[in-house]
Structures are given as C-alpha cells and as structure tokens.
Amino acid sequence: MTATQAKSVAGTSPQMQWDWIEHEPQEDIEEIYSLAERLMQFSPMVGVEPIEKNLWAGRSILQPQSILMDITGLESWYSGETAMAQQIQKWLTDEGLFGCIGVADSVGQAWAVSNYTFRKQIHQAMLSIERAEHSLQEAFHHNQRICIVDHAANHKRFSPLPIESLRLDIETVAKLHRLGIRTIESLEALPRASLTSRFGSRLLDRIDQCLLARPEPISVRSVGESMEVCLDFEHPIFQLEQLQETLQECVYQLCRKLDSVSHGAWRLVVRLALETPIMQVQETAPRAIPSHVIQLGLFQSSNEPTHLLWLIHGCLERNPPQLSKNLGIKQVLVQAPWTSAMRWKQNPLFDCQTLKYRDEAAKLIDGLTSRLGRNQVVGLSVVQDPIPERQSKFKPLTGIRNDGSQQSTEKKLRKKPSQDFQNTRSVVPGTQAAWSRPTQLLVNPTPIKVQCDSTGTPSAVEFPIDTGLQTIAQCVGPERIESSWWSGPTLRRSYFKVALESGTWWWIFQDLTTKDWFLHGLFH
Amino acid sequence: MTQAELLSPKGMLVKELAQEIRTLQTAQRPQGLYVSSGSEPMDRCLPWGGYAAGSLLELTCSKKPRTAGWGGLSLALRIAKPWLENGKYLVIVDSHRRLCAPSLVAMNIPLERLIVIRTQNATDWVWGLDQVLRSPAVGALISPVTELGDRSARRLQLAVEQGGGVGIFLRDQGSAKRNPSWAEVQWLVQSVTTRPSSQTPILMERWFDLELLRAPGLQTTRRVRLGIDAQGEWKHCDERKASKSTEHLAAQLALATPRRPNVAAS
C-alpha cells in the first residue's frame, strides 16, 4: 500500500487518527522471519524468498516479502491442499495479517499466482474502502485469496499474468515493455533463441521456473529437528532452581550437537511448556497453557554453553515464568532455529585492531540485549537526509540480517573498517565542522519563545519551564533547511546556533510556515 | 593539614594508611597504565600525566541544567577518543534517544565501534554499566548520572578496574555532592562564552573552564582553560594568545599599503 492510498484509507474514517511514521526496513525483516518461524507449525520446510542484487519489477523495496513453504506430502493431514491453504489463511487472519496464498508445483509458479492473481481484487477492495462501501475489516477479510494450480494445468494458466510475475529485474521488464510485451502470453510467442541473445539467460531461467515448473531450492530457516534438545518431566517442576539445572543440561547438549557439525547458534528459542497438575485441574478448564517462550538473537554465532546459559539467565531474570503450586513446567525445549558454520577469517596481514576485540564486544552485546531488550542496544549510523531528525539512524545490533542467510556470518567477519590497521582515524572525517551540528537532538522539538532584533536575528530566548528571559550572547544563522517534496509534508525551517549568557549552546529553529520557534538541539 | 602536621609521626602514619587504603582500593586495576587526554595542560593537572586505565572520571557542571547544553558530552567524547585508538569500543548511555550521528562523525568518533544503550530503570542502568565497564572490549563509557548509591558506585569502580577502560560520568554538582563517588578524577566544567576572534568564525570553537576538584594526591585546586575547535581537537589558551600575538606582530611588521590614488576625483 502506498502512502497516498494509506492516507485516503485513513481519511475515510473521521475517528481514525493517523500520523507519518518513518519506514523501518529492519522491523519488516524481523517480522517476516518471525512469521516464517511461526509458520513452521504447518510445515517444517519454511523459508523466505531469496532476494537478488537488483530490484524485481513491481517491487518498491529490496527486501523479502514472500514466504515459501514446502507442503509436499502434508496436504493429506489437512484433507487436501485447499483445506490446508484455508487453514493457513484463517491462521493469518487470526494473527491480524493479510496474505495471498498460491499453491503450485514449483516456487516460480506459486510465487507468480500468489503475487499477481489477486492484484485487481486488492485494488478494488482499496477503492471500496475509499468510497466507504466497506470497512477495512470487511474489504480484506471476507474474500478468500487462495489460488491453487492444478498438477494437470498446462502453462496456458499463466498466460494472462504480466511479465513482472516472472521475478524479472526492472531493466529487463522496461526493455520488454518498450517492445510492447506485457504478458507472459506475448513473451511466449517470441523465439527462445533470440531471448537469450537479447536479454540474457536469466530471462529463460525465469520462464522455465514458471512455465515448466523447474524446481528451485527453498532456503529453510531451521536446520532441522536435530538442533534442539527437549526434556520432559514426569511431574511438573515448580522451582526456578530446578529449571536452571535442566536448562544447563539442555544447553550443554545443544552446544555439543552444534560443535559436532562446527556450527554456532545465531538464534535461540527456549520453550517452557507449562501445565497444571492432573489432581488440581478442573474438568471444565483446559489443561494446556500457552508456553513461556524466550527468544534470543545473537550478535555473532556461538556454541559456547556458558555464554548461551548466561544469556538465557539474563532473559529469565527479566521475564521469569510465573510458577506457582498450581502451575509447573512440564517440558523444556531449547532450539537453535538459525545456525551457521563457525568459520573464522584468517588473521589479516596488518594488525586489525577492531577484529581483536570483536569477540569480546559480541559477548557484551549479546548479554546486554538479553537483559535490556533488542531495541535498547543499538548502533548508530548517518543517513544522507537534509532533515536533522532523519540524519541519525539507530539500528539494533542483534537480530536478523537482510538476506537471512549464512552468508552474513562470513560477510560480517570479513568486513574490516577502512584504515584501521594503521591505528589512525577509523572513519573518514566529516565534511562538516564539529560544532556545526548539536551532539544531542531532541526527539520532539520543544516550543520556546524568542525575541528578535530588527534584522530578525534572535536576541533573547525563554524556555517554557525556566523563569525569565535568557540573553543570547552570540548567534549564527539562519541556516535554511527544507525537506524534499516527495518525503511527506514539507518542512521549512530556519536554524540558528545560539550561545546563551549562561554558557549553554542551543540549536533553535523557526518554522517558516507557522513562524513558531523551537529548541531542537543541544551542544551538550 | 599543614606542612608541620604532615611531617609529624601522626601525619606520616596518616599518609601511610592513606597509601595502603589506596593500594587496596586499586589492587585489581592494570598497574602503571595511563592514557594521555591529548591535551598537555589537562595532563599537567593530573598526577600521572593522564587518566589511569580502570578508573572512573566525573565531569560535573555547576548547577543543575534544566536543558543540558553545557558541553559535558563533547568534552567526554574528546577525552574518550584516545581510549579508542587501539580498536576498543565506545559505549554511550542515551536513554532519551538524543544522540546526533553527524556531530559524532565530525568529532572523528568511529561509529562502527560505537554501542548505544538505553536503560529504563536504575537497576538496569547499574547492571548495564557494570557489564560494560567489566568488558575488556570497551575503551570508554560515557553516561549521565543523576543518583548513584554508595554500593552501586563501588560496584562500578570494581567493574572498571577489571575491564581496564575508563568510565566518564556526566552529572551536576548538586548530585555529585549529595551522593558518594568512587571516581578518581572529578572536574567542574563551566562553558565560557568568548568574544569571537577575527581568525575563527563565530561559534566554531568552544571554550571551557575546568577546575580539578578531585585527583589522587591533589593538595590545591587546579584550573585550566581548554577549547575544542571545529576539527574536534583540543585548543589551548596559549595557542589562542600566540595566534593573536602573531597576528598583531604581523600587522605591525607588514608593509603599509600605499594609498590608492583617487581616480574618480581626478
């Protein structure tokens, strides 16, 4: 959904409050991988679509947006593929999600039908919301969006679909559009030999993957059942001390398994199955209670049992299971759903100091994350954007990478900061001077009162909670900053750097639209 | 204590006991490792010509600022910089999500070795700081401090001794006086509003008056005036005077420009 569509949908309901929120790609990645993990209840083979270097036509962001699931042989458990797809869609709806499902013989076919069969239907649903014919719930949840391609169906089934459904890059699609080829049907009419010479072999691969159902591997997140340790108790346990002993046993077993295949865990999941003792359960009440789940993302893959145990204990301290005499732990399951090979980089020729402390830093980050939470331990980077509040980007240091594959490990270990081996400056010096931007930027600019002289330069400032006017000793400005027209509502500001008589330095601005003054930054 | 009292047997005993206490207190610390702040006048004020590895440092401001802006963070970043040169990490506690990346880059802080942590309560804050200071990967930690109990302060001191880095706390003078502190060095910082000189653009360098309130063996208060320039480097008072005098001397020695004939008038 584009921002304009979202705005029009939000505008249909006067009660609905809406606001512009910056898109967080990392949140999307986390969510889709988390969803893939949860979908493993339907099939053990669940993966996320592999993204390529270039953006596919029809997509606006270079991020995985589809989940792939191998259901071979599983449909009999659900009385057929249709029933299984319906059950998955019901589950998605219950989770508050909106999804389109395609079932086919190959990844290419399923991807094409799930991504492009329902586009018109979704567009019409959006229009009906804009026209206030249906509510958001009604428009999206009363129709089934399941497309099942029969085994016997020939490739004519895909003919009306647009060529974007073949997962082609933008350049190829643009070239084909210039030739007037917009559907798979018209693409099929072209001789295959000429396609390779004009568009490269990738186009033929994509056609075969879709029309001839050429198989493709699914990059499954889980390494299988072997990377988990499960302990059942005959009688539920009620003491946390007992639990810690059990956890220790499980983690040591898991680490031995990981070590035997030279793997390390990127992610750990601990499930504590809670249960009420049989004697105390009432006939009407259900005996099963949702498990207590601990999920951990690591900064660097690890198979050290002491380190993993320390992280789990940190989580248990922060969020312990509520045990009582009526509620005990029946089963402990420790899983490593995402592992990677513990391959280490050869020492560089020059002494790279950053790598020297990386292992220690990784342990520290994991420990802090397990106790404080993932979003509380972050890294900082600079974003090229004229608006000051968008120039700093905080990103959690642990969690899932963009591609979600094992390559991240190598990539991260291979990454070496420039010039670090010389122990000189490890970053390129900023083009701006040290005092041109404040060290701290307020999340929400605070309104202030400002007195200006005849030239429009601030001469005195009053902070709402302080009493009295403070004289400005020195002032530099204005520095005009405006936002781009394509990035939300236009912001037009005049910034001034002011030094008060008290010695404090502030970064203030005047909103040129409302003429109000705000305190935005502190030279702390 | 007067000079005579210091030389008396009682005075000597007190001195010996103080030395013993100090040895006990810093037993875990890496011995004999001191890192220069990069500023000669500041190092001259310190007993060992630099900050000891595995110690805490406090930068305090004279009065509780309603809105910060007294320059403590900039000073702390400049002091922390030499501690990062051997590939160690910098950790900043930023619970209010206020850190501004461009200014850190301009001060040559390596963002790839920066860890920002946010804490939601005092317990987590002390625990987080303890873990950070204890890690050998951390060269410097910068954190604001409001209230800190005696036991927590000692816990942090022991942690930093184990880690071998430096912990820099930013606090106001009232809090520093109210609460005990295990910081080895304590500075009182006052941002100075200086008149702009002809050589530097207005508000492109910032000056501070630093008063050393606490340091091992400190007998009298020491003061130093330091600045940070547009490149994020230290600037000293002498430099400023020298540059001014050079300017004046050059102006005196320069050949007088011959007066241009008034063409328009002729």
Side-chain angles (χ1 to χ4, degrees):
Chain A
M1 187 186 288
T2 61
T4 320
Q5 282 174 323
K7 195 177 164 183
S8 57
V9 169
T12 53
S13 169
Q15 291 85 24
M16 199 180 280
Q17 296 288 323
W18 63 278
D19 196 8
W20 289 93
I21 297 171
E22 197 67 22
H23 172 235
E24 284 289 346
Q26 189 62 29
E27 297 286 327
D28 285 355
I29 294 167
E30 291 291 331
E31 186 55 37
I32 198 161
Y33 280 103
S34 164
L35 183 63
E37 268 178 19
R38 283 179 279 156
L39 277 167
M40 280 178 191
Q41 62 183 296
F42 294 102
S43 163
M45 305 286 277
V46 182
V48 171
E49 66 175 8
I51 53 165
E52 290 178 342
K53 215 173 189 177
N54 297 323
L55 192 67
W56 290 333
R59 286 276 172 91
S60 53
I61 46 172
L62 191 61
Q63 278 189 349
Q65 291 174 41
S66 301
I67 290 176
L68 307 173
M69 190 187 285
D70 186 354
I71 58 163
T72 314
L74 295 171
E75 68 278 6
S76 56
W77 293 90
Y78 297 89
S79 331
E81 286 171 348
T82 312
M84 185 178 183
Q86 280 170 346
Q87 195 153 341
I88 293 171
Q89 192 166 57
K90 185 180 176 305
W91 180 84
L92 285 172
T93 311
D94 292 343
E95 291 282 308
L97 295 165
F98 164 81
C100 302
I101 297 171
V103 181
D105 285 350
S106 74
V107 170
Q109 289 183 347
W111 195 94
V113 291
S114 59
N115 277 275
Y116 282 88
T117 308
F118 306 103
R119 290 223 161 183
K120 198 178 259 182
Q121 189 185 332
I122 293 165
H123 182 68
Q124 281 179 349
M126 295 291 301
L127 282 176
S128 70
I129 295 167
E130 280 180 48
R131 290 183 201 131
E133 290 167 5
H134 291 109
S135 70
L136 199 65
Q137 293 289 326
E138 287 170 355
F140 286 110
H141 295 306
H142 80 283
N143 283 330
Q144 277 197 353
R145 289 168 303 282
I146 298 168
C147 181
I148 294 175
V149 182
D150 192 18
H151 300 288
N154 59 18
H155 59 262
K156 294 289 175 200
R157 171 77 179 74
F158 302 96
S159 297
L161 291 178
I163 51 172
E164 285 90 342
S165 62
L166 294 174
R167 291 176 287 169
L168 301 173
D169 62 272
I170 294 173
E171 253 181 58
T172 311
V173 169
K175 272 185 200 170
L176 290 166
H177 279 183
R178 279 173 63 196
L179 296 169
I181 298 159
R182 293 186 179 274
T183 59
I184 292 177
E185 187 179 16
S186 43
L187 188 63
E188 276 182 284
L190 296 175
R192 278 176 74 90
S194 67
L195 287 179
T196 317
S197 59
R198 284 173 193 277
F199 301 99
S201 58
R202 191 68 180 148
L203 177 61
L204 277 188
D205 286 344
R206 289 300 194 200
I207 292 172
D208 292 349
Q209 280 165 359
C210 183
L211 302 184
L212 305 179
R214 189 198 281 177
E216 276 178 75
I218 297 177
S219 177
V220 180
R221 290 262 299 152
S222 171
V223 290
E225 281 186 10
S226 61
M227 286 308 159
E228 67 178 39
V229 176
C230 181
L231 281 185
D232 283 295
F233 304 112
E234 197 173 343
H235 303 289
I237 58 168
F238 303 97
Q239 302 289 329
L240 278 177
E241 291 75 22
Q242 286 175 297
L243 171 67
Q244 284 178 354
E245 281 172 23
T246 314
L247 275 175
Q248 190 169 344
E249 198 182 326
C250 290
V251 170
Y252 270 86
Q253 275 188 34
L254 180 72
C255 287
R256 275 198 292 274
K257 278 187 182 181
L258 287 167
D259 197 33
S260 64
V261 289
S262 297
H263 267 231
W266 275 100
R267 199 168 164 83
L268 266 188
V269 180
V270 180
R271 286 175 205 275
L272 307 175
L274 303 176
E275 196 180 77
T276 308
I278 299 170
M279 300 300 289
Q280 292 168 19
V281 79
Q282 292 172 1
E283 278 180 14
T284 50
R287 201 172 157 217
I289 291 157
S291 308
H292 184 85
V293 181
I294 297 169
Q295 287 176 303
L296 279 171
L298 275 75
F299 182 70
Q300 184 172 286
S301 63
S302 170
N303 58 16
E304 276 184 47
T306 47
H307 178 56
L308 299 181
L309 266 173
W310 180 58
L311 298 178
I312 294 170
H313 287 165
C315 283
L316 276 175
E317 268 182 37
R318 190 166 54 117
N319 183 20
Q322 299 300 320
L323 299 181
S324 66
K325 62 179 181 182
N326 295 330
L327 193 65
I329 298 167
K330 184 75 175 71
Q331 186 192 59
V332 175
L333 175 72
V334 182
Q335 289 176 305
W338 184 17
T339 67
S340 74
M342 296 279 286
R343 266 178 270 171
W344 298 99
K345 186 183 170 291
Q346 189 182 352
N347 286 336
L349 183 61
F350 300 100
D351 181 26
C352 183
Q353 294 282 6
T354 301
L355 295 179
K356 191 172 153 188
Y357 291 108
R358 181 162 285 176
D359 286 355
E360 288 296 334
K363 281 181 187 169
L364 172 70
I365 290 165
D366 288 341
L368 290 171
T369 305
S370 71
R371 162 96 181 223
L372 303 176
R374 205 179 137 261
N375 289 321
Q376 311 298 321
V377 185
V378 292
L380 187 60
S381 58
V382 183
V383 178
Q384 297 293 332
D385 196 299
I387 302 301
E389 53 263 43
R390 295 179 200 154
Q391 285 173 348
S392 303
K393 177 99 179 152
F394 292 99
K395 199 174 173 187
L397 288 170
T398 57
I400 298 157
R401 268 64 188 169
N402 194 353
D403 55 0
S405 67
Q406 292 179 11
Q407 287 173 359
S408 303
T409 320
E410 292 171 53
K411 205 185 282 176
K412 198 160 69 175
L413 290 173
R414 198 167 58 231
K415 192 181 166 190
K416 189 177 65 153
S418 59
Q419 299 183 8
D420 191 59
F421 56 86
Q422 289 174 345
N423 272 344
T424 52
R425 289 172 173 173
S426 55
V427 291
V428 180
T431 49
Q432 291 184 324
W435 298 109
S436 61
R437 285 288 179 272
T439 47
Q440 291 189 331
L441 212 62
L442 304 185
V443 179
N444 298 311
T446 313
I448 49 170
K449 287 177 185 168
V450 172
Q451 282 186 4
C452 296
D453 60 15
S454 55
T455 59
T457 311
S459 58
V461 62
E462 189 179 1
F463 196 69
I465 56 169
D466 267 337
T467 50
L469 219 58
Q470 296 192 58
T471 315
I472 292 171
Q474 289 173 33
C475 175
V476 177
E479 181 188 351
R480 181 70 64 83
I481 293 178
E482 289 190 14
S483 65
S484 321
W485 60 265
W486 57 87
S487 55
T490 310
L491 301 172
R492 294 172 65 234
R493 297 167 178 176
S494 274
Y495 277 89
F496 291 87
K497 185 165 64 174
V498 296
L500 306 181
E501 288 285 359
S502 58
T504 54
W505 287 23
W506 286 0
W507 205 42
I508 62 173
F509 74 84
Q510 185 182 28
D511 189 327
L512 295 176
T513 317
T514 61
K515 302 291 178 197
D516 292 331
W517 287 88
F518 295 90
L519 168 65
H520 199 190
L522 306 163
F523 292 85
H524 186 15
Chain B
M1 210 178 265
T2 62
Q3 192 68 20
E5 282 171 340
L6 278 171
L7 291 171
S8 67
K10 252 188 192 173
M12 295 295 279
L13 183 65
V14 169
K15 204 175 171 184
E16 270 176 35
L17 285 172
Q19 184 60 37
E20 264 183 50
I21 290 170
R22 181 161 170 70
T23 313
L24 282 172
Q25 281 177 350
T26 59
Q28 301 297 319
R29 180 190 296 179
Q31 295 299 317
L33 183 57
Y34 304 101
V35 177
S36 163
S37 63
S39 158
E40 208 185 317
M42 183 181 261
D43 289 348
R44 273 203 301 269
C45 294
L46 299 167
W48 302 289
Y51 294 103
S55 66
L56 296 176
L57 153 71
E58 282 182 357
L59 299 176
T60 62
C61 66
S62 55
K63 56 182 179 181
K64 192 175 182 178
R66 289 283 172 82
T67 51
W70 52 280
L73 181 59
S74 310
L75 265 179
L77 288 169
R78 187 60 195 82
I79 293 170
K81 222 160 82 171
W83 292 85
L84 312 179
E85 278 179 1
N86 55 0
K88 288 197 172 184
Y89 284 71
L90 170 67
V91 179
I92 301 180
V93 179
D94 176 41
S95 297
H96 299 292
R97 298 162 190 252
R98 285 182 175 175
L99 269 187
C100 181
S103 68
L104 298 187
V105 172
M107 288 195 83
N108 297 322
I109 299 296
L111 293 189
E112 75 273 6
R113 278 189 277 132
L114 172 70
I115 301 167
V116 181
I117 61 171
R118 301 159 181 164
T119 53
Q120 287 165 343
N121 54 53
T123 318
D124 280 353
W125 179 76
V126 173
W127 180 88
L129 259 61
D130 179 72
Q131 298 299 316
V132 168
L133 291 171
R134 208 174 282 279
S135 170
V138 175
L141 160 93
I142 301 173
S143 172
V145 176
T146 45
E147 298 294 324
L148 184 65
D150 187 22
R151 292 177 71 180
S152 302
R154 175 67 174 147
R155 180 179 166 187
L156 296 183
Q157 194 225 358
L158 290 174
V160 76
E161 279 180 2
Q162 194 180 329
V166 66
I168 307 173
F169 292 155
L170 311 175
R171 63 198 309 188
D172 66 272
Q173 192 64 23
S175 152
K177 281 181 180 166
R178 268 198 315 277
N179 299 300
S181 165
W182 287 85
E184 189 163 271
V185 177
Q186 194 178 56
W187 291 98
L188 174 64
V189 181
Q190 174 70 44
S191 178
V192 186
T193 309
T194 53
R195 280 191 305 164
S197 65
S198 56
Q199 289 193 328
T200 52
I202 188 168
L203 295 183
M204 285 313 280
E205 60 183 37
R206 193 168 183 187
W207 288 86
F208 302 94
D209 273 339
L210 290 139
E211 191 180 320
L212 188 60
L213 300 178
R214 182 197 295 173
L218 184 73
Q219 301 292 332
T220 53
T221 311
R222 295 176 192 177
R223 289 187 179 83
V224 62
R225 177 168 282 197
L226 288 174
I228 298 176
D229 65 12
Q231 282 75 44
E233 297 300 329
W234 288 117
K235 208 152 184 209
H236 308 134
C237 242
D238 306 342
E239 276 179 33
R240 201 159 61 121
K241 279 178 190 164
S243 62
K244 271 189 179 174
S245 61
T246 311
E247 184 194 2
H248 294 158
L249 188 65
Q252 283 169 18
L253 294 175
L255 291 171
T257 314
R259 192 178 173 184
R260 296 179 69 185
N262 193 345
V263 181
S266 63

